[in-house]
């Protein structure tokens, strides 16, 4: 079992951390058995599972449902669950209650929360409640209405200073790692060098301590994912389309199922059937 200490140690030992999202049992199982360090049940499920345009609609109940089924397949990786929009924009007491629900009901190892310096007090309280917290700064998708679009962050002197300050505050608050999303590589390099905790990049260049991608995007399962930072390691949507079209063809021309893909009554019952029903029992 990968622990929070293993993750922190990897940064010290200069070992890259690899993270990937998962939203169901079999994906959790596959990702875990391939040796991924951190499995994230991300609120990106709002887009890739629910088909919404953003993550804002995802509820705490949905996060708990998906995290529970992912947990069944994840035996070794460190399992982190996103706090969805609205689940921490409330009192600290209610936020902690939500975090405790996630940990107790899903068996996850930690939570991820979007936002920088302004979450300092809240994160301290979550960490004080014995819950490991992964921070998330840069392009935080839950702030899409404030940002006005999915844009690279850190494109002005002010924003660069803000991002560096956010990262420092998150480390001070007790985060065990921080996701940097859509941050220019120069800025994520500075942040990574300044911090003792690992940075996990997505669209933030090669100098982060680790990388995270959305499962459906990196395997080409999501045909709509087309980002500059995304490397596709398979083309599942094409493979799936090919498979389904072949299945339709085979069923329509009677090629599927074949005799070897069917069950038989066996020799003894066959003669009984032939006597009673004649030719109807012949495989033609
Ligand atoms: O929701 C998510 O999947 C995420 C990762 C992309 C970091 O936040």
């Amino acid at each position: 079992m990968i622990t929070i200490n293993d993750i922190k140690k990897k940064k010290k030992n200069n070992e890259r951390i690899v993270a990937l999202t998962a939203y169901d049992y079999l994906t959790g199982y596959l990702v875990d058995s391939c040796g991924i360090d951190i499995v994230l049940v991300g609120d990106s499920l709002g887009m890739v599972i629910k088909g919404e345009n953003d993550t804002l609609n995802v509820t705490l109940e949905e996060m708990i449902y998906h995290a529970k089924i992912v947990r069944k397949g994840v035996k070794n990786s460190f399992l982190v669950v996103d706090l969805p929009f609205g689940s921490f924009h409330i009192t600290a007491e209610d936020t902690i209650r939500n975090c405790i629900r996630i940990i107790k009901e899903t068996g996850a190892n930690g939570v991820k929360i979007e936002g920088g310096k302004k979450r300092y007090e809240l994160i301290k309280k979550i960490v004080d409640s014995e819950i490991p917290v992964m921070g998330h700064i840069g392009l935080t998708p839950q702030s899409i209405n404030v940002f006005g679009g999915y844009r690279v962050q850190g494109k002005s002197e002010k924003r660069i200073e803000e991002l560096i300050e956010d990262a420092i505050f998150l480390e001070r608050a007790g985060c065990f790692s921080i996701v940097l999303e859509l941050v220019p590589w120069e800025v994520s390099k500075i942040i990574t060098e300044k911090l003792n905790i690992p940075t996990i990049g997505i669209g933030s260049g090669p100098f982060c301590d680790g990388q995270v991608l959305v499962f459906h995007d990196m395997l080409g399962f999501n045909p709509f994912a087309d980002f500059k930072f995304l490397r596709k390691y398979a083309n599942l949507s094409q493979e799936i389309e090919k498979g389904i079209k072949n299945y339709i063809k085979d069923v329509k021309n009677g090629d599927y199922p074949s005799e070897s893909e069917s069950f038989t009554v066996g020799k003894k019952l066959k003669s009984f059937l032939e006597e009673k029903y004649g030719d109807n029992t012949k495989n033609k």
Side-chain angles (χ1 to χ4, degrees):
M1 270 289 267
I2 295 180
T3 66
I4 189 173
N5 300 328
D6 298 322
I7 290 163
K8 288 180 183 165
K9 226 185 288 162
K10 278 180 190 271
K11 173 154 182 147
K12 287 208 175 74
N13 297 343
N14 235 342
E15 260 181 74
R16 290 286 176 95
I17 298 161
V18 196
L20 203 50
T21 67
Y23 314 104
D24 58 45
Y25 162 67
L26 277 180
T27 310
Y29 170 78
L30 287 171
V31 163
D32 178 85
S33 38
C34 287
I36 287 286
D37 299 307
I38 300 174
V39 175
L40 171 68
V41 183
D43 63 353
S44 49
L45 70 84
M47 290 149 113
V48 291
I49 302 294
K50 293 174 68 185
E52 302 284 353
N53 289 328
D54 55 46
T55 59
L56 299 177
N57 57 86
V58 178
T59 65
L60 180 66
E61 300 309 319
E62 286 168 340
M63 291 309 298
I64 290 176
Y65 168 79
H66 284 277
K68 260 187 192 171
I69 58 179
V70 169
R71 172 84 275 177
K72 290 188 180 160
V74 172
K75 303 290 176 232
N76 192 50
S77 315
F78 193 82
L79 183 63
V80 177
V81 178
D82 247 337
L83 288 178
F85 182 64
S87 68
F88 59 94
H89 305 76
I90 42 178
T91 63
E93 289 68 30
D94 286 340
T95 302
I96 290 163
R97 201 165 296 128
N98 287 340
C99 294
I100 290 174
R101 273 198 67 195
I102 289 178
I103 301 296
K104 276 194 135 135
E105 293 178 33
T106 72
N109 305 108
V111 297
K112 176 165 83 56
I113 186 166
E114 292 188 9
K117 189 177 168 185
K118 66 180 173 190
R119 306 271 181 252
Y120 174 76
E121 289 298 336
L122 185 60
I123 291 175
K124 256 174 56 165
K125 288 188 176 135
I126 304 173
V127 174
D128 279 350
S129 314
E130 334 304 338
I131 299 173
V133 176
M134 175 183 257
H136 184 162
I137 58 172
L139 187 275
T140 43
Q142 292 173 13
S143 314
I144 189 68
N145 289 327
V146 177
F147 290 145
Y150 293 100
R151 296 203 187 92
V152 176
Q153 302 296 303
K155 297 285 255 182
S156 67
E157 289 180 13
K158 182 171 168 278
R159 190 69 183 116
I160 290 172
E161 298 297 353
E162 265 173 20
L163 287 170
I164 296 172
E165 197 181 19
D166 279 344
I168 292 169
F169 267 84
L170 289 185
E171 175 168 71
R172 269 192 217 149
C175 285
F176 72 91
S177 66
I178 304 178
V179 169
L180 302 180
E181 182 162 353
L182 292 194
V183 173
W185 66 263
E186 297 91 335
V187 181
S188 41
K189 185 167 187 270
I190 293 168
I191 292 174
T192 302
E193 282 166 7
K194 270 191 184 297
L195 300 187
N196 292 309
I197 54 169
T199 57
I200 312 290
I202 172 161
S204 297
F207 298 103
C208 296
D209 298 300
Q211 295 294 322
V212 61
L213 284 173
V214 169
F215 177 89
H216 293 64
D217 298 348
M218 59 84 72
L219 289 175
F221 191 173
N222 177 5
F224 312 113
D226 181 22
F227 318 117
K228 175 180 161 71
F229 69 82
L230 180 65
R231 187 177 294 177
K232 293 193 181 178
Y233 288 86
N235 206 330
L236 289 194
S237 62
Q238 269 181 23
E239 282 300 305
I240 289 170
E241 193 182 319
K242 205 166 83 190
I244 295 172
K245 285 189 170 157
N246 281 336
Y247 170 61
I248 293 173
K249 180 170 66 72
D250 286 355
V251 171
K252 286 193 172 171
N253 3 329
D255 282 348
Y256 178 81
S258 63
E259 190 173 352
S260 66
E261 288 155 332
S262 311
F263 302 99
T264 170
V265 290
K267 257 193 196 152
K268 216 164 127 197
L269 282 173
K270 214 173 186 115
S271 32
F272 156 76
L273 286 177
E274 268 171 25
E275 255 171 51
K276 194 144 186 208
Y277 298 99
D279 276 356
N280 277 348
T281 62
K282 295 243 166 70
N283 181 14
K284 336 177 237 190

